[in-house]
Amino acid sequence: MEPSTKPVLYSYFRSSCSWRVRIAFALKGIEYNLVPVNLIKDGGQQRSEQYSKLNPMQQVPAVEIDGITLCQSLAVIQYIDETRPGPRLLPVDPKARAKVRMISDLIASGIQPIQNLSVLQKVGEEKVPWAQHFINRGFQALEPILKETSGKYCVGDEISMADICLVPQVYNAERFKVDIGRYPTIRKINETLVELEAFKVSHPSHQPDTPANLQA
Amino acid sequence: MAPVLYSYFRSSCSWRVRIAFALKGIEYNLVPVNLIKDGGQQRSEQYSKLNPMQQVPAVEIDGITLCQSLAVIQYIDETRPGPRLLPVDPKARAKVRMISDLIASGIQPIQNLSVLQKVGEEKVPWAQHFINRGFQALEPILKETSGKYCVGDEISMADICLVPQVYNAERFKVDIGRYPTIRKINETLVELEAFKVSHPSHQPDTPANLQA
């Protein structure tokens, strides 16, 4: 029997970085096997010796695909885009592509790492104001950028990696009670995106490891 | 028209872009932005229009303004001739991005100026913790991917990210000796012209006491 060649995604239901990859797989119509990694239980399953071999950063996501193991969600997403058919996740035009990467990196480097679990665990008691501060700082920057770049979506009228990064970051913002109403362009684009099938099927409330009380 | 780079001599993210320009042989105009003086010139109304994140670098190129160093570097790579900054092979390219993002998302943002200013007194142990955590992960990854450089034997965006991060690590007194692969690759890279000419000790805004 032929071994499965489906990609394997190590994911946590509520990890925004894992969600990005789930969205990308859904947009491309790629079937994959999902292995849940619980970031809280057992001292954090991402810290196990076995998982550390897959991703020595001890973070999700990690992906086994085409015989290699990849970490870092945007590296995974661009690899998928460059090797699989289906809708492009980055535009053809180099300037538009640069804007997609700029917006993606603003979120994936400029906001999320500063409010991710391991940093918040180190911050301790002040974690909520900390997260709010850095999310607001990032969204204050993203709002005028998106005003300039957006059409129907973050960059023009085609869904891109920027949109893939935006929705999970808005979800994080809402978890930390950031007032999205302050960012009308972000809110409007998010509202459009969350209605799309790829964003729904990959949503944290619908994952194999979503706790019962958080299922939609 | 030559690109314009808004840069701080000691900003590792600015240094990445300076390396990329040097590797590609692209001449550019450098506008220094002092992150400390005047409450931080990156916070000025004028600069905020260029980069609303109030960070360096920002680049004006081909009629657009770009921020985020890796977006700039890949734009340069895709529009300028010269040595490739990302490999042709998709798997190798993914590894270059993985290593670059490990540094540019997984380490640097957590120890950058605005975060350290918020951490306050404990900033040095904080920075050491997160740099060590990142290097502990990077070391086994590089053992697997590296040849002469981070990924095989061609210089890439991963190398462009590595050297400035090692510089940051040394500033925070992280013991690079614990990471032999990182150290060895760094030692090879810092001898190259593109990494030397772009070094923080040689910039127009390098303070006199820090010049090489």
Side-chain angles (χ1 to χ4, degrees):
Chain A
M1 184 169 124
E2 222 179 36
S4 166
T5 48
K6 274 195 217 167
V8 179
L9 169 64
Y10 295 81
S11 161
Y12 181 58
F13 76 105
R14 202 156 51 176
S15 145
S16 65
C17 304
S18 303
W19 189 4
R20 294 175 196 151
V21 177
R22 299 195 302 256
I23 295 167
F25 277 138
L27 284 168
K28 289 288 212 186
I30 298 169
E31 290 195 11
Y32 61 96
N33 292 317
L34 190 149
V35 175
V37 179
N38 193 308
L39 304 184
I40 311 294
K41 267 169 59 178
D42 307 329
Q45 293 172 347
Q46 72 279 20
R47 298 190 176 99
S48 74
E49 200 179 316
Q50 181 193 11
Y51 187 77
S52 298
K53 290 199 179 86
L54 281 173
N55 185 354
M57 273 296 264
Q58 300 182 339
Q59 294 175 326
V60 284
V63 174
E64 289 167 322
I65 185 167
D66 300 341
I68 61 170
T69 301
L70 281 178
C71 307
Q72 297 299 328
S73 59
L74 303 193
V76 173
I77 288 166
Q78 292 177 89
Y79 177 76
I80 291 168
D81 197 42
E82 291 169 5
T83 58
R84 264 74 181 165
R88 292 189 66 100
L89 302 180
L90 281 94
V92 173
D93 173 66
K95 288 181 184 175
R97 193 154 63 244
K99 292 185 181 182
V100 167
R101 288 193 177 115
M102 173 174 77
I103 291 163
S104 302
D105 282 355
L106 191 159
I107 294 167
S109 295
I111 305 179
Q112 193 280 337
I114 314 177
Q115 48 94 139
N116 96 342
L117 183 67
S118 56
V119 171
L120 294 185
Q121 282 170 342
K122 205 146 169 66
V123 170
E125 284 182 3
E126 291 296 303
K127 65 175 74 164
V128 173
W130 172 282
Q132 289 173 340
H133 170 83
F134 286 105
I135 295 172
N136 275 311
R137 190 270 296 263
F139 278 13
Q140 277 158 24
L142 191 53
E143 177 68 18
I145 289 174
L146 289 180
K147 265 206 195 77
E148 192 194 304
T149 61
S150 65
K152 196 168 169 190
Y153 302 116
C154 283
V155 177
D157 297 323
E158 301 297 324
I159 294 176
S160 73
M161 187 166 70
D163 303 288
I164 289 174
C165 291
L166 184 73
V167 166
Q169 188 57 59
V170 172
Y171 176 91
N172 274 358
E174 290 172 336
R175 273 187 72 199
F176 288 106
K177 311 271 189 282
V178 166
D179 177 13
I180 306 296
R182 298 171 55 183
Y183 312 107
T185 313
I186 292 174
R187 185 178 59 181
K188 178 163 166 298
I189 297 169
N190 185 69
E191 282 173 356
T192 303
L193 291 165
V194 293
E195 292 305 313
L196 302 175
E197 185 60 23
F199 291 79
K200 283 184 171 176
V201 69
S202 59
H203 193 280
S205 61
H206 292 123
Q207 296 309 300
D209 58 329
T210 308
N213 61 315
L214 290 171
Q215 285 170 14
Chain B
M1 228 186 82
V4 180
L5 169 65
Y6 296 82
S7 161
Y8 182 57
F9 76 104
R10 201 154 55 177
S11 146
S12 65
C13 305
S14 303
W15 190 3
R16 293 174 197 153
V17 178
R18 299 195 302 255
I19 295 166
F21 276 138
L23 285 168
K24 288 288 210 185
I26 298 168
E27 290 197 10
Y28 61 96
N29 294 314
L30 191 148
V31 175
V33 179
N34 194 309
L35 304 185
I36 312 294
K37 268 171 57 177
D38 307 329
Q41 295 172 346
Q42 73 279 20
R43 297 188 176 99
S44 75
E45 199 178 319
Q46 181 193 10
Y47 188 77
S48 299
K49 291 197 179 90
L50 281 172
N51 186 353
M53 273 297 263
Q54 300 181 342
Q55 292 175 328
V56 284
V59 174
E60 288 168 322
I61 185 168
D62 300 341
I64 61 170
T65 302
L66 281 178
C67 309
Q68 298 298 331
S69 58
L70 303 194
V72 173
I73 289 166
Q74 292 178 89
Y75 177 76
I76 291 167
D77 197 41
E78 291 170 5
T79 57
R80 265 73 183 166
R84 293 189 65 99
L85 302 179
L86 281 94
V88 174
D89 174 67
K91 288 181 184 176
R93 194 155 63 245
K95 291 184 181 182
V96 166
R97 288 195 178 113
M98 173 175 75
I99 292 162
S100 302
D101 282 355
L102 192 158
I103 294 167
S105 295
I107 306 179
Q108 193 281 336
I110 315 177
Q111 48 94 142
N112 97 343
L113 183 66
S114 56
V115 172
L116 295 184
Q117 283 172 340
K118 208 150 168 61
V119 169
E121 282 182 6
E122 292 296 303
K123 65 176 72 164
V124 173
W126 171 281
Q128 290 174 339
H129 171 84
F130 286 105
I131 294 172
N132 275 311
R133 189 270 295 264
F135 278 13
Q136 278 159 24
L138 190 53
E139 177 68 18
I141 288 174
L142 289 180
K143 266 208 195 76
E144 193 194 303
T145 61
S146 64
K148 197 169 170 188
Y149 302 116
C150 283
V151 177
D153 297 322
E154 302 296 326
I155 294 175
S156 72
M157 187 166 69
D159 303 288
I160 289 174
C161 291
L162 184 73
V163 165
Q165 189 57 59
V166 172
Y167 176 92
N168 274 358
E170 289 170 338
R171 273 188 72 199
F172 288 106
K173 311 273 192 276
V174 166
D175 178 13
I176 307 297
R178 297 172 56 182
Y179 311 106
T181 314
I182 292 175
R183 185 178 60 181
K184 179 163 166 295
I185 297 169
N186 184 69
E187 283 172 356
T188 304
L189 291 165
V190 294
E191 292 306 312
L192 302 176
E193 186 60 23
F195 291 79
K196 282 183 172 174
V197 70
S198 57
H199 194 280
S201 61
H202 292 122
Q203 296 309 300
D205 58 328
T206 307
N209 61 315
L210 290 172
Q211 286 172 14

